[in-house]
Amino acid sequence: MFSDFLTKPTKNGILLTSSFLLSFSLLACSGDANESEKPTPTLEYTAIPSSIGIVGDPKDVTVTTSAGTVLMGGATDVDSAMKWMINKSIGGDVVIIRASGATGYNQYLYDLVQVNGIRQVNSVETLLINSAELANNPKVGERIKEAEMLFIAGGDQANYIRFWRNTPVEEALNYLINIKKVPVGGTSAGCAILGEAVFTAENNTITSEEALVNPFNSKITLAKSDFINNPFLKNTITDTHYNNPNRKGRHITFLARLATDFNWQEPKGIGVEEETAVCIDENGKAVVYGTGTAYFLKGSSEKPEKCSPNNKLNWVNNKKAIQAYLITGKETGNGSFDLTNWTTFSGGTSKNMYVTDGVLSIE
C-alpha cells in the first residue's frame, strides 16, 4: 500500500464480531462512548460477505434522497461535508466501502447528526471489498444499491481499480449516482477514482518532479475511466493531498497527457487539499468546506508545446496553459463553482499555471 494514498478515519468506531444476531451489548466501543447510546437493532441480521460491521437498524429503509458528490482531500475528515451528505440521505442507510482498514466510520457517522437526540441516519455499515471474488459477489452489489449514502474510504486506488472494475460493485456505484441519485463521496484514494480519468497508481505513486521532467515516466498510469460515471466530472481528473508540493506538478502533467494521449480538449482537474472537501450538489454547483483550498483547473485548448518521453514538459501557451480558480473552504462552506460550464464562479481567486522546461509556475 502506498503511503500517500493512506487515509485512516480519525473517528472512533465499533466492529460487529458476529455475523448472526446483531447484539450491540457484546460490541467493544473505542473511546468514551456512552453505553446507553448504543443503537439497538430491530431484527436479526446476517452479515453479507465483505461486511465487517454495522451500527443502527439493519432493516433496509426506503426514502427519497438528493444527489450529490463529495471530493475530500484526505487526512482528517471534514465533518461539515459529511453532514452535508447525511442531510441529503434523508434518514437512510449509509454504506462505507474500502479495500483495507476497519470500521472507524461507523459510529462516527451514525452519531454525527442528531436532532433532539434522534440520529439522522438509519444505519452505517462498512464493506471491506478486498478481492475481485468479493466484488463479484452479487450480494455485495445488492447491499451497495440499498444505500442512501455511499462513501469510499482512503487506501490504494490501484486496489479499487483492480478489484472493483467491471464487477457488480462498479454497476452499483453507477446505479447510486445516476439512477437512485444518492450522495456519493470519497477521500484520498476514494476521491481519486471519481473522475472520468484516473491516475491508477498501478506502478506506485509519482512525485511532481519525476512527472514534470518526464511526462511519460512509467509510474504515470492513466486510464480514461469506464469505471465510475459522474456527469459533473466528465473530462476531469481529481487529485488529493494537494497541500503536498509533490501533487500540483504531477496533476498538471496528467492534464498534459490527457490532452496529448486522449486528445481531450480543455482537460479539467480538481485538486483538493487535506482537511478540505468539494461538495457538488444535484445541479453541478460546487461549494468548498473545511480549512484548506480546492483548485479547479482547466487546460488550454492548445496542446502542450512538448509532451514526449524522456523530455521535460513544456506547456506555456503565453503563460496561460492552465486556468486555475482557487477556493478556500470554510466550516459553513465557501465560494461557488459551476461544473456545468466551468465559467461561472465566485468567492475565490483566479491564477494562471504553466510549465517551462519541467518547472511549474503559478501566477
Side-chain angles (χ1 to χ4, degrees):
M1 189 177 302
F2 310 130
S3 60
D4 61 347
F5 295 115
L6 292 176
T7 300
K8 293 175 58 181
T10 58
K11 318 298 179 185
N12 292 328
I14 65 175
L15 175 63
L16 176 63
T17 58
S18 172
S19 61
F20 300 101
L21 181 63
L22 187 66
S23 177
F24 285 91
S25 63
L26 298 177
L27 292 174
C29 280
S30 59
D32 56 356
N34 187 332
E35 292 292 319
S36 66
E37 294 180 354
K38 292 178 183 177
T40 302
T42 60
L43 46 71
E44 290 187 354
Y45 172 72
T46 300
I48 65 164
S50 80
S51 178
I52 57 172
I54 185 170
V55 294
D57 187 344
K59 183 179 179 180
D60 184 38
V61 297
T62 301
V63 296
T64 300
T65 57
S66 176
T69 303
V70 169
L71 306 176
M72 199 174 293
T76 303
D77 297 299
V78 182
D79 289 352
S80 54
M82 291 297 198
K83 292 176 181 178
W84 184 89
M85 294 184 76
I86 290 171
N87 288 336
K88 285 180 167 292
S89 72
I90 318 294
D93 297 304
V94 179
V95 172
I96 310 300
I97 61 174
R98 58 195 315 155
S100 62
T103 58
Y105 279 109
N106 285 11
Q107 199 72 41
Y108 157 52
L109 291 176
Y110 189 71
D111 293 338
L112 187 60
V113 180
Q114 300 186 38
V115 178
N116 297 323
I118 300 174
R119 295 174 174 86
Q120 298 302 294
V121 298
N122 184 59
S123 68
V124 185
E125 182 171 22
T126 295
L127 306 182
L128 181 66
I129 312 170
N130 56 2
S131 70
E133 180 181 6
L134 282 172
N136 278 294
N137 188 305
K139 291 183 179 180
V140 176
E142 290 167 7
R143 181 56 53 86
I144 292 172
K145 286 184 175 181
E146 292 176 344
E148 280 73 43
M149 170 179 157
L150 187 286
F151 194 74
I152 309 170
D156 179 350
Q157 65 248 45
N159 286 332
Y160 296 166
I161 298 293
R162 183 181 303 116
F163 297 148
W164 302 350
R165 197 173 188 177
N166 299 319
T167 71
V169 171
E170 174 190 312
E171 194 270 332
L173 287 170
N174 286 308
Y175 169 82
L176 293 181
I177 293 169
N178 296 297
I179 299 177
K180 193 173 181 180
K181 298 186 183 300
V182 312
V184 173
T187 186
S188 192
C191 171
I193 63 173
L194 291 176
E196 183 179 7
V198 177
F199 169 55
T200 66
E202 293 169 281
N203 294 335
N204 210 322
T205 189
I206 188 166
T207 67
S208 287
E209 181 180 3
E210 291 172 321
L212 290 168
V213 299
N214 180 11
F216 282 79
N217 188 304
S218 62
K219 293 180 181 179
I220 300 179
T221 51
L222 298 175
K224 181 179 179 181
S225 180
D226 57 357
F227 182 34
I228 296 179
N229 178 21
N230 187 312
F232 299 124
L233 296 176
K234 292 291 187 184
N235 294 336
T236 303
I237 186 168
T238 64
D239 207 355
T240 56
H241 304 280
Y242 223 63
N243 40 321
N244 184 327
N246 279 324
R247 294 303 178 116
K248 296 181 183 67
R250 77 175 199 173
H251 201 193
I252 300 305
T253 305
F254 297 163
L255 294 180
R257 285 286 303 274
L258 293 173
T260 302
D261 296 7
F262 299 148
N263 201 31
W264 278 12
Q265 298 295 312
E266 298 183 342
K268 300 173 178 66
I270 300 176
V272 191
E273 291 187 348
E274 294 177 355
E275 302 183 23
T276 308
V278 175
C279 295
I280 307 165
D281 70 12
E282 65 274 17
N283 299 310
K285 306 301 190 299
V287 175
V288 181
Y289 290 83
T291 59
T293 299
Y295 289 64
F296 299 86
L297 311 176
K298 184 169 70 172
S300 169
S301 58
E302 297 184 21
K303 292 184 178 181
E305 290 88 342
K306 181 179 289 185
C307 182
S308 57
N310 302 311
N311 286 300
K312 296 178 180 178
L313 178 64
N314 272 283
W315 196 6
V316 182
N317 189 21
N318 296 317
K319 298 185 177 181
K320 297 180 179 179
I322 298 95
Q323 296 176 354
Y325 195 73
L326 284 59
I327 299 176
T328 299
K330 294 181 179 179
E331 187 65 23
T332 56
N334 185 49
S336 176
F337 197 97
D338 191 341
L339 295 176
T340 67
N341 58 31
W342 282 73
T343 59
T344 306
F345 39 73
S346 63
T349 304
S350 294
K351 300 280 188 180
N352 288 321
M353 304 173 73
Y354 59 94
V355 179
T356 308
D357 292 330
V359 177
L360 174 65
S361 298
I362 305 175
E363 58 184 39

